[in-house]
Amino acid sequence: IIGFSRIQPAMSASDNGFVSVKEPETNWYPAYEVRGEGIFIEFKNDEINAWVKNNPQVSERAALINANYEASFIGQNHPRNITPKFIMLHTLSHLLITQLSFECGYSIASLSERIYCSEKADGKEMAGIFIYTASGDAEGTLGGLVRQGRSDTFPRILKKAIASAKICSND
């Protein structure tokens, strides 16, 4: 965290209302040490691109999400394009977080995500998910999450996450 804002959201240090958390003459930011564990999943971009091509309804949904975002206050001030690939990665991340919470004992609230998603036009094509837990104390190092990421365990968890999405009562 390099700063904050109030009332008007600031997306970068150059935005109006941004307040830095450090003094201008210092060369460091405040921080704290966390302990944690995580699972990183890298996807084949060609496979995702083929999936998007074979499922046009995903592109239609992305267009609707983008139109709604562009009409919002933050979208008018900070444009971005939400791609079908990002939707897939983000949705799968949440499915995995839910399933992993059952499997490893962490609560859903204690698991976080980072989505690594970009296209060739952005300079580097990426498709990855990092699901992790981090805590300022020893709770972030129970070891259960890393164990679920092993090759003898993770495929079963992935299949269960996808199967549970097919019967989700919230969809």
Side-chain angles (χ1 to χ4, degrees), residues 116-150:
Y116 296 90
C117 180
S118 64
E119 304 296 336
K120 284 182 184 175
D122 300 323
K124 181 172 177 71
E125 194 171 21
M126 293 187 293
I129 300 170
F130 180 46
I131 298 173
Y132 66 97
T133 183
S135 174
D137 61 16
E139 183 181 333
T141 59
L142 296 175
L145 188 57
V146 169
R147 174 65 184 100
Q148 302 310 315
R150 293 187 182 164

Side-chain angles (χ1 to χ4, degrees), residues 94-96 98-99 102 157-171:
H94 281 254
L95 293 173
L96 286 168
T98 301
Q99 189 62 41
F102 294 125
I157 291 170
L158 178 61
K159 289 175 186 172
K160 286 174 82 172
I162 292 170
S164 69
K166 293 179 180 178
I167 56 169
C168 180
S169 62
N170 293 323
D171 289 342

Side-chain angles (χ1 to χ4, degrees), residues 11-129:
M11 301 298 279
S12 71
S14 61
D15 287 352
N16 287 335
F18 178 84
V19 178
S20 179
V21 296
K22 74 174 192 78
E23 297 294 328
E25 63 276 358
T26 63
N27 61 358
W28 56 271
Y29 287 96
Y32 70 99
E33 182 178 350
V34 296
R35 302 185 192 286
E37 58 179 330
I39 299 171
F40 180 76
I41 307 145
E42 183 177 10
F43 296 85
K44 294 179 180 176
N45 284 293
D46 294 340
E47 296 289 330
I48 293 176
N49 294 336
W51 176 79
V52 169
K53 184 178 178 182
N54 293 329
N55 295 281
Q57 66 274 22
V58 178
S59 294
E60 293 166 11
R61 180 71 175 154
L64 179 62
I65 290 170
N66 279 310
N68 289 334
Y69 178 78
E70 289 169 10
S72 71
F73 174 79
I74 198 164
Q76 291 173 3
N77 295 300
H78 303 284
R80 71 180 274 194
N81 183 38
I82 300 166
T83 64
K85 177 166 63 171
F86 179 84
I87 293 170
M88 188 280 294
L89 292 170
H90 189 247
T91 301
L92 184 58
S93 175
H94 281 254
L95 293 173
L96 286 168
I97 285 171
T98 301
Q99 189 62 41
L100 285 164
S101 73
F102 294 125
E103 303 285 339
C104 67
Y106 286 113
S107 69
I108 289 174
S110 66
L111 294 175
S112 299
E113 68 181 340
R114 294 261 186 221
I115 306 295
Y116 296 90
C117 180
S118 64
E119 304 296 336
K120 284 182 184 175
D122 300 323
K124 181 172 177 71
E125 194 171 21
M126 293 187 293
I129 300 170

